[in-house]
Amino acid sequence: VQLQASGGGLVQPGGSLRLSCAASGSIAAIDNMGWHRQAPGKQRELVARIPTGGYANYADSVKGRFTISRDNAKNTVYLQMNSLKAEDAAVYYCYAEIRDYPDLYLHAYWGQGTQVTVSS
């Protein structure tokens, strides 16, 4: 199983970016999907998480600005980031809890990280 993230880049404060992360491989089912981020000198933190069904949850710092969504048919999770601030700059990592073949155990997989830079 692999997670491939994309969509990072350089944006001005107040701008928007959309991150995508697609899971591929021997996937039987996907439970939670989400995004973490890590800024230089800081610990990795949860940004947003979305279960297969039900409500997403967000870090307080991004509520009202970021929206997480998923396309289960495409095994893909998205993060729409609006009104970006300098403090949102970080490497963003997607993750997914996946039941994969052949053992069908639940494993956590991580994407490779995509850089988001917010600067004028």
Side-chain angles (χ1 to χ4, degrees):
V1 173
Q2 291 186 332
L3 269 62
Q4 182 68 44
S6 61
L10 171 64
V11 63
Q12 292 185 342
S16 298
L17 280 175
R18 188 190 193 211
L19 306 182
S20 300
C21 177
S24 61
S26 299
I27 297 170
I30 302 179
D31 196 348
N32 291 310
M33 302 185 83
W35 294 89
H36 284 67
R37 68 185 180 187
Q38 188 167 20
K42 295 187 177 181
Q43 289 188 332
R44 189 176 295 193
E45 62 175 354
L46 174 68
V47 177
R49 176 175 56 206
I50 184 168
T52 304
Y55 296 104
N57 51 51
Y58 298 89
D60 288 343
S61 59
V62 307
K63 284 180 180 177
R65 300 188 297 121
F66 291 11
T67 302
I68 190 170
S69 61
R70 60 190 285 174
D71 184 334
N72 292 326
K74 296 181 178 180
N75 292 334
T76 300
V77 62
Y78 305 96
L79 186 68
Q80 177 66 44
M81 304 185 293
N82 298 329
S83 302
L84 281 160
K85 305 176 181 179
E87 51 263 42
D88 294 318
V91 178
Y92 283 69
Y93 298 91
C94 61
Y95 79 94
E97 298 169 0
I98 296 175
R99 296 190 185 277
D100 49 359
Y101 296 106
D103 59 21
L104 301 183
Y105 292 157
L106 195 64
H107 298 114
Y109 290 93
W110 291 85
Q112 81 281 13
T114 184
Q115 178 72 49
V116 171
T117 303
V118 184
S119 176
S120 55

